[in-house]
């Protein structure tokens, strides 16, 4: 294990986000080799890190996977009401969890990682990570005036929402959003009178679905991981 700043070590180990890890250090709740830790301190192989007296296991190597999620799978690890989850399709990696969500009826690119800090930043509204969706609607191709409404914004029950880009394509549209509210795309299109018939996510930040077959996964390349880290200020 290479040396880490302590707050990054705690975030990578899944203890808390980096910001919350900094709070833990400031509160004197973190010890390194028996001594109260200080913010910015580095830890490496052989160091004993404890939070509230409990040992923190060293973080695993960062893993980031891309899955082409098929329809009918939930993105939770355990769902007593669902017969199939995305983890049925993935290798068993300690700490692996989805970055954001795709609802059970939606398809396409789902990123997963064992890095809690990366997940926090990629899903936090402050970073505005863009996601591109291909939608097919019950009303067919979206008229340009409907796209304009989505670009201006529509009112939802949990506040206004708008698309950053909208382009009509046969049977529906290509939409770009920077939020990740629950079923947001479906609710926006229903609000403008074009309920979604099928939803496929094509891109998250710099990572594209490409030709990855449904139900299959791949490990992101080093370049893709670096691009994600740069996007959210971790590189």
């Amino acid at each position: 294990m290479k040396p880490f700043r302590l707050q990054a070590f705690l975030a990578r180990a899944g203890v808390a986000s980096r910001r919350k890890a900094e709070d833990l250090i400031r509160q004197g709740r973190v010890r390194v080799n028996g001594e109260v830790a200080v913010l910015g301190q580095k830890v490496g192989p052989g160091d004993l890190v404890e939070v509230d007296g409990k040992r923190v296991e060293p973080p695993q190597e960062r893993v980031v996977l891309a899955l082409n999620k098929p329809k009918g799978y939930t993105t939770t690890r355990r769902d007593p009401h669902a017969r199939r989850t995305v983890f049925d399709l993935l290798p068993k990696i300690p700490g692996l969890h989805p970055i954001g969500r795709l609802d059970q009826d939606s398809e396409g690119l789902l990123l997963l990682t064992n890095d809690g800090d990366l997940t926090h930043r990629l899903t936090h509204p402050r970073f505005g990570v863009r996601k591109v969706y291909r939608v097919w609607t019950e009303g067919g191709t979206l008229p340009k005036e409907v796209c304009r409404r989505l670009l201006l914004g529509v009112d939802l029950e949990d506040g206004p929402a708008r698309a950053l880009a909208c382009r009509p394509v046969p049977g529906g549209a290509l939409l770009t959003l920077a939020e990740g509210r629950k079923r947001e795309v479906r609710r926006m299109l229903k609000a403008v009178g074009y309920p979604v018939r099928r939803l496929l996510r094509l891109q998250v930040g710099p990572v594209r679905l490409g030709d990855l077959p449904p139900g299959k996964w791949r490990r992101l390349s080093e370049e893709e991981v670096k691009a994600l880290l740069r996007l959210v200020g971790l590189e």
Side-chain angles (χ1 to χ4, degrees), residues 218-232:
R218 67 176 179 85
R219 190 160 180 161
L220 263 59
S221 68
E222 185 177 344
E223 291 74 20
E224 287 174 312
V225 173
K226 285 183 178 179
L228 283 176
L229 295 174
R230 284 195 298 269
L231 181 65
V232 295

Side-chain angles (χ1 to χ4, degrees), residues 39-85:
L39 199 61
Q41 181 174 348
K42 289 193 175 184
V43 294
D47 286 325
L48 171 63
V49 179
E50 297 170 294
V51 176
D52 296 334
K54 295 182 179 179
R55 181 189 177 110
V56 178
E57 294 299 325
Q60 303 293 315
E61 176 192 6
R62 179 191 288 119
V63 174
V64 188
L65 306 181
L67 171 71
N68 186 346
K69 177 195 168 303
K71 183 176 179 179
Y73 286 78
T74 65
T75 55
T76 52
R77 182 169 290 279
R78 294 180 183 85
D79 186 340
H81 305 293
R83 290 184 298 173
R84 299 180 296 183
T85 81

